[in-house]
Amino acid sequence: MLWKLIKLELKKTKWRGLILSAVITNLVVALWVIGSDVPNNEIRSYDRAFESIMNYAGITFIIFASVLMSRMVIDEYRNKTITLLFTYPVPRNQIFLAKLIIIGVWTFATVLFNNVFVLLSLLFFNSHNHYIIETLTHDRLMKEAIRILIFAFACGSVSLIPLYFGMIRKTMPALIVSSFLLSNATMVIVNNISVENGYGKYVMAALLCFALGVLMAYAGVRRSQL
């Protein structure tokens, strides 16, 4: 039943515009990092560069997720179309779960793709301009790849939290503001964790984000039933 609800939500959502917006956003972030951030802020190490890419990717696409959440949840309340869904012989929790799974997976995928795309763009750009002169080893690149996966999982989890705040007034501004604050807080945590001594703290932080995301999303679903 859950998979049928997910397929129904996928069919209802206008993905062409969202995917086009995501592609344009990827290009903008890449151009900003390689054209402004790296040269103007005198970033001379790959650690600083990777940190910068994660910051922009995380903040941008957690906020992006709130736009998708607004379309899938808030707009349906405002347009009264969600009442039709509630007439189905399906628990309301499952309807919201289907929506949240799509939002979480979308955020995970877009953050992951953006990190990889901007990273490859930076490496190509740096091979011609040589802003970063240190050698990028295969071991360091593999560590970064694993960190990007964990980071994308954390962002996908954090993207679920704004549902609670959005359900208070059922408005898009509440989603946008809460996602902006949460994304910045997440970046502060990420920037203070290093993978040089292993992934323990990083994985714990990601699991904490997941737990908070699930709990706050559940609280948002409960609020919708009030």
Side-chain angles (χ1 to χ4, degrees), residues 21-36:
S21 299
V23 170
I24 294 173
T25 302
N26 272 293
L27 292 172
V28 171
V29 173
L31 289 172
W32 174 259
V33 170
I34 65 179
S36 178

Side-chain angles (χ1 to χ4, degrees), residues 119-225:
L119 175 57
L120 292 176
S121 300
L122 173 64
L123 294 178
F124 177 79
F125 169 80
N126 192 63
S127 68
H128 292 82
N129 295 275
H130 306 292
Y131 282 109
I132 303 173
I133 59 174
E134 71 170 310
T135 302
L136 181 61
T137 64
H138 180 267
D139 182 61
R140 180 66 185 87
L141 195 57
M142 289 303 297
K143 284 184 177 180
E144 189 61 25
I146 296 172
R147 186 166 75 147
I148 288 173
L149 282 170
I150 299 172
F151 176 72
F153 174 78
C155 289
S157 302
V158 171
S159 70
L160 306 181
I161 298 177
L163 177 66
Y164 175 80
F165 302 99
M167 294 308 296
I168 295 176
R169 292 184 176 275
K170 296 182 176 62
T171 61
M172 184 175 180
L175 284 174
I176 298 294
V177 172
S178 60
S179 63
F180 176 78
L181 295 174
L182 287 165
S183 61
N184 277 275
T186 303
M187 296 313 108
V188 170
I189 295 172
V190 168
N191 292 339
N192 284 280
I193 299 177
S194 172
V195 295
E196 294 303 319
N197 298 319
Y199 298 98
K201 291 183 179 179
Y202 216 76
V203 171
M204 288 299 295
L207 291 176
L208 177 61
C209 289
F210 178 74
L212 287 174
V214 170
L215 288 173
M216 293 299 288
Y218 176 74
V221 173
R222 293 285 297 175
R223 176 170 284 277
S224 73
Q225 299 173 356

Side-chain angles (χ1 to χ4, degrees), residues 79-153:
N79 299 331
K80 309 297 184 182
T81 55
I82 202 165
T83 56
L84 177 62
L85 282 176
F86 291 161
T87 61
Y88 293 173
V90 179
R92 185 178 298 190
N93 291 352
Q94 285 201 20
I95 295 174
F96 276 97
L97 180 59
K99 295 175 182 290
L100 292 173
I101 288 174
I102 293 172
I103 293 166
V105 172
W106 164 264
T107 308
F108 172 84
T110 51
V111 170
L112 180 63
F113 180 81
N114 185 253
N115 270 275
V116 173
F117 177 75
V118 179
L119 175 57
L120 292 176
S121 300
L122 173 64
L123 294 178
F124 177 79
F125 169 80
N126 192 63
S127 68
H128 292 82
N129 295 275
H130 306 292
Y131 282 109
I132 303 173
I133 59 174
E134 71 170 310
T135 302
L136 181 61
T137 64
H138 180 267
D139 182 61
R140 180 66 185 87
L141 195 57
M142 289 303 297
K143 284 184 177 180
E144 189 61 25
I146 296 172
R147 186 166 75 147
I148 288 173
L149 282 170
I150 299 172
F151 176 72
F153 174 78

